Amino acid sequence: MLTVSWIVCAAGGSLFGSERELSRVFCQTVEKIKEGMEDNMKETKKYQFWFCTGSQDLYGDECLRKVAAHSREMAEGLNASGNLPYELVWKPTLIDQASIRRTFNEANNDENCAGVITWMHTFSPAKMWIIGLQEYHKPLCHLHTQYNEEIPYDTIDMDFMNENQSAHGDREYGHIVTRMGIERKVIVGYWKNAAVSGKLADWMRTAVGIMESSHVRVCRIGDNMNNVAVTEGDKVEAQVKFGWEIDHYNVNDAVAYVDEVSPGDVEALVEAYYDKYEILPEGRDPQEFREHVAVQARIELGLERFLEAGDYHAIVTHFGMLGGLKQLPGLAIQRLMEKGYGFGAEGDWKTAAMVRLMKIMTQGKKDAKGTSFMEDYTYNFVPGKEGILQAHMLEVCPSISDGPVSIKVQPLSMGNREDPARLVFTSKTGPAVAASLVDLGNRFRLLVNAVDCKKCEKPMPRLPVATAFWTPQPSLEVGAEAWILAGGAHHTAFSYDLTVQQMVDWADAMGIESVVIDKATTIPALKNELRWNAVYYR
Ligand code: MN
């Protein structure tokens, strides 16, 4: 009913001169919306990384010429490998305190520079690195590699040794970084090895997550659900530690944007939905079904405009605080997540920010399988088929879908609004990470579980929500016990496209505790780790 009246209003109003004009504008809007559906990530900067080689002037010009030529060849080779998600920018060899300090400060000031990768081709006395490192405040990686792969047994002499002594020089440099207590990533191996460039690629994504963390802005249009503990947290400390701005609005501030969306825009988006997704009316009247879908289209456009107006990258809702919204945002939130927005339900701003960051960290990844907000729901305890059914009331990101994505309209047992439209699908198989950021009162802990995603054994025709199914490592029994002992939440930020190591590196850079649950986890060792961490992070 709403949709029909909006079309009448638009056609009869002063916005469009004639029916033909309406039709032209409408078609353009549909095209624009379809284009937008392909571009499914909010853009970040065109980040670059600097490749800085250390040496000194003890070895003469001939040696330094070779050092420069080698490091340039390495930077070019790594760029040409096709393995790096961001460009590596070669920098002139650093041979003294002044050049080191200047380069690190230039890196600080270059807004496209997301990190510096250091490598000592020769010996480079580390005292001259102190002031530069003290002043540097971006992600730091130490690539402990070497120009040559093999020792040239037949020709090696002392000139070669002086020129190629990374095993020597990198230890001197590593010592001072450790002594200064600076967090950095160390990657060891031959630079042409795909495993090494793969680790560098992973770290670059983590570094972008570190850089972008300070820009994350979370829009809360619902507070934390009453009496729920694990979604709570210290927002001041989150801004100190992570840089996140976590703002609150009355939900009706956003509703004003939702109400302002033009009927033409709503109808164009509904049309795009009907093109893209399977429609499963399941006995509902087709027109009534479409009207429910149109409510979500209106909410998607209104919320997106509200978020854009406030420059927000993540959103938090609460099914119990919907104000003038006619439905709990379901399909609308699912599509905003697919566009790159973070999301947390029931006021969970920590998970919303993590979902946003993890989406940025995986941005542009070839053959990406998806990143979503997720919730642990129901177990399968059948021996040999153990796992956790993952879902939420509605809000699972379609980027993780496998196979067709359908729209259903079903009642929601909670809240007091009309039946919401939602996208329904099952998810991909394979390894993934589930991360939970919890506030323990005196510190944040990032819990990271390596999980193996599987197909559900059977279809669930009566379950009208998107799902995933996984077995936590090392097993459901140990994984769930470890998760509970470590205080993990029922909400997670989930991705197929990040590794446990990337999440741990991010936590390390943020100066927070991380706890990993994976194949190596045993309960006695985990309990000791938690006890020791409690002392360390006091
Ligand atoms: Mn929930």
Side-chain angles (χ1 to χ4, degrees):
M1 192 179 91
L2 288 169
T3 309
V4 173
S5 69
W6 287 331
I7 287 173
V8 169
C9 158
S14 59
L15 198 53
F16 306 108
S18 66
E19 253 177 59
R20 178 177 295 183
E21 175 68 0
L22 169 62
S23 157
R24 191 182 64 77
V25 171
F26 177 75
C27 289
Q28 282 174 351
T29 311
V30 171
E31 283 314 307
K32 214 172 117 197
I33 283 167
K34 282 185 187 165
E35 275 169 34
M37 288 168 98
E38 303 312 316
D39 169 30
N40 61 5
M41 178 59 72
K42 274 174 68 69
E43 270 294 306
T44 52
K45 290 194 183 74
K46 298 272 177 248
Y47 282 118
Q48 296 175 326
F49 290 81
W50 289 13
F51 185 57
C52 296
T53 304
S55 186
Q56 61 175 328
D57 57 9
L58 190 71
Y59 308 111
D61 290 346
E62 174 59 16
C63 176
L64 284 177
R65 261 196 301 278
K66 284 189 187 166
V67 166
H70 290 168
S71 64
R72 194 188 281 270
E73 182 188 335
M74 290 162 71
E76 285 168 0
L78 283 162
N79 281 327
S81 74
N83 292 338
L84 303 186
Y86 297 93
E87 186 192 356
L88 205 53
V89 178
W90 177 85
K91 290 288 165 183
T93 313
L94 303 177
I95 55 169
D96 53 26
Q97 177 168 293
S99 61
I100 293 166
R101 184 182 194 181
R102 185 175 62 247
T103 302
F104 274 128
N105 276 292
E106 284 168 3
N108 283 337
N109 295 329
D110 182 333
E111 66 168 24
N112 289 319
C113 175
V116 169
I117 294 152
T118 46
W119 167 59
M120 306 303 123
H121 191 316
T122 69
F123 195 74
S124 183
K127 285 187 190 172
M128 64 192 196
W129 287 80
I130 291 173
I131 185 74
L133 284 167
Q134 271 172 341
E135 291 174 355
Y136 181 64
H137 57 68
K138 285 185 174 178
L140 182 65
C141 176
H142 182 182
L143 180 59
H144 183 43
T145 189
Q146 183 170 279
Y147 175 67
N148 54 303
E149 184 177 30
E150 190 177 30
I151 296 170
Y153 296 105
D154 298 336
T155 58
I156 189 166
D157 57 13
M158 280 317 293
D159 285 345
F160 182 92
M161 294 273 268
N162 282 332
E163 185 186 295
N164 297 279
Q165 50 174 321
S166 301
H168 182 175
D170 270 338
R171 279 172 167 74
E172 165 75 358
Y173 169 74
H175 165 78
I176 201 65
V177 185
T178 291
R179 173 162 174 171
M180 293 171 72
I182 294 172
E183 193 58 49
R184 85 291 202 186
K185 177 72 177 175
V186 179
I187 297 172
V188 180
Y190 184 51
W191 59 280
K192 282 186 184 169
N193 185 329
V196 171
S197 52
K199 282 184 184 175
L200 193 56
D202 282 356
W203 176 79
M204 283 179 163
R205 292 189 173 283
T206 301
V208 166
I210 296 162
M211 292 296 294
E212 285 282 323
S213 186
S214 65
H215 311 140
V216 167
R217 289 166 50 78
V218 182
C219 171
R220 301 161 62 235
I221 53 170
D223 201 351
N224 298 77
M225 184 175 164
N226 287 343
N227 294 315
V228 175
V230 81
T231 59
E232 281 284 3
D234 184 336
K235 294 193 284 293
V236 177
E237 194 59 20
Q239 189 153 3
V240 172
K241 277 277 184 291
F242 310 121
W244 301 346
E245 289 178 66
I246 305 146
D247 296 339
H248 172 65
Y249 293 86
N250 187 313
V251 61
N252 284 334
D253 296 339
V255 170
Y257 279 70
V258 172
D259 289 345
E260 271 174 26
V261 177
S262 77
D265 285 357
V266 172
E267 185 51 26
L269 185 55
V270 170
E271 199 64 34
Y273 289 171
Y274 272 61
D275 268 6
K276 181 168 181 174
Y277 306 117
E278 283 189 359
I279 305 300
L280 296 178
E282 297 178 313
R284 290 185 97 106
D285 172 70
Q287 186 55 37
E288 184 257 8
F289 184 96
R290 195 178 171 104
E291 285 157 15
H292 281 257
V293 174
V295 170
Q296 292 287 334
R298 172 169 286 277
I299 295 173
E300 176 186 336
L301 292 169
L303 287 186
E304 187 170 23
R305 288 167 194 177
F306 185 67
L307 294 172
E308 277 173 0
D311 192 25
Y312 288 104
H313 316 110
I315 182 166
V316 162
T317 61
H318 178 188
F319 65 86
M321 306 175 74
L322 293 176
L325 290 174
K326 293 186 174 64
Q327 298 175 11
L328 173 65
L331 195 160
I333 288 293
Q334 292 178 287
R335 286 180 42 86
L336 289 175
M337 258 192 282
E338 192 177 23
K339 287 174 178 171
Y341 287 98
F343 173 74
E346 292 97 48
D348 187 351
W349 51 267
K350 296 197 300 298
T351 308
M354 287 308 300
V355 169
R356 165 62 181 165
L357 269 178
M358 289 165 71
K359 281 181 174 285
I360 292 172
M361 288 164 72
T362 61
Q363 184 173 17
K365 186 165 183 177
K366 196 167 167 283
D367 304 322
K369 293 168 74 176
T371 299
S372 181
F373 170 73
M374 198 56 94
E375 182 167 89
D376 299 288
Y377 254 101
T378 299
Y379 287 123
N380 193 32
F381 273 129
V382 175
K385 299 171 180 175
E386 295 95 340
I388 316 171
L389 184 64
Q390 302 286 327
H392 202 259
M393 279 190 286
L394 303 172
E395 312 92 334
V396 179
C397 178
S399 65
I400 68 169
S401 68
D402 189 24
V405 179
S406 312
I407 302 183
K408 291 192 180 193
V409 175
Q410 290 276 341
L412 193 68
S413 52
M414 278 179 268
N416 55 350
R417 295 298 191 279
E418 64 178 43
D419 301 352
R422 76 285 306 272
L423 296 172
V424 180
F425 50 84
T426 59
S427 301
K428 299 179 183 82
T429 59
V433 293
S436 170
L437 183 67
V438 293
D439 185 338
L440 295 178
N442 63 343
R443 68 186 187 276
F444 290 107
R445 167 181 289 164
L446 184 71
L447 195 53
V448 188
N449 195 178
V451 302
D452 296 305
C453 298
K454 302 165 179 176
K455 280 288 162 199
C456 262
E457 192 183 2
K458 295 174 188 172
M460 298 171 285
R462 291 173 61 86
L463 189 66
V465 290
T467 59
F469 181 85
W470 69 59
T471 308
Q473 289 184 10
S475 65
L476 175 57
E477 186 188 357
V478 176
E481 182 178 349
W483 187 272
I484 285 168
L485 287 172
H490 53 275
H491 285 171
T492 54
F494 163 79
S495 181
Y496 293 100
D497 306 317
L498 291 167
T499 64
V500 167
Q501 190 61 53
Q502 286 175 293
M503 299 306 297
V504 168
D505 288 344
W506 180 83
D508 286 349
M510 291 294 149
I512 65 160
E513 179 190 5
S514 62
V515 173
V516 170
I517 304 170
D518 64 7
K519 283 204 167 83
T521 297
T522 65
I523 296 301
L526 179 103
K527 288 179 82 166
N528 276 335
E529 179 185 348
L530 297 179
R531 290 182 187 117
W532 298 331
N533 285 0
V535 176
Y536 178 84
Y537 288 98
R538 188 175 355 227

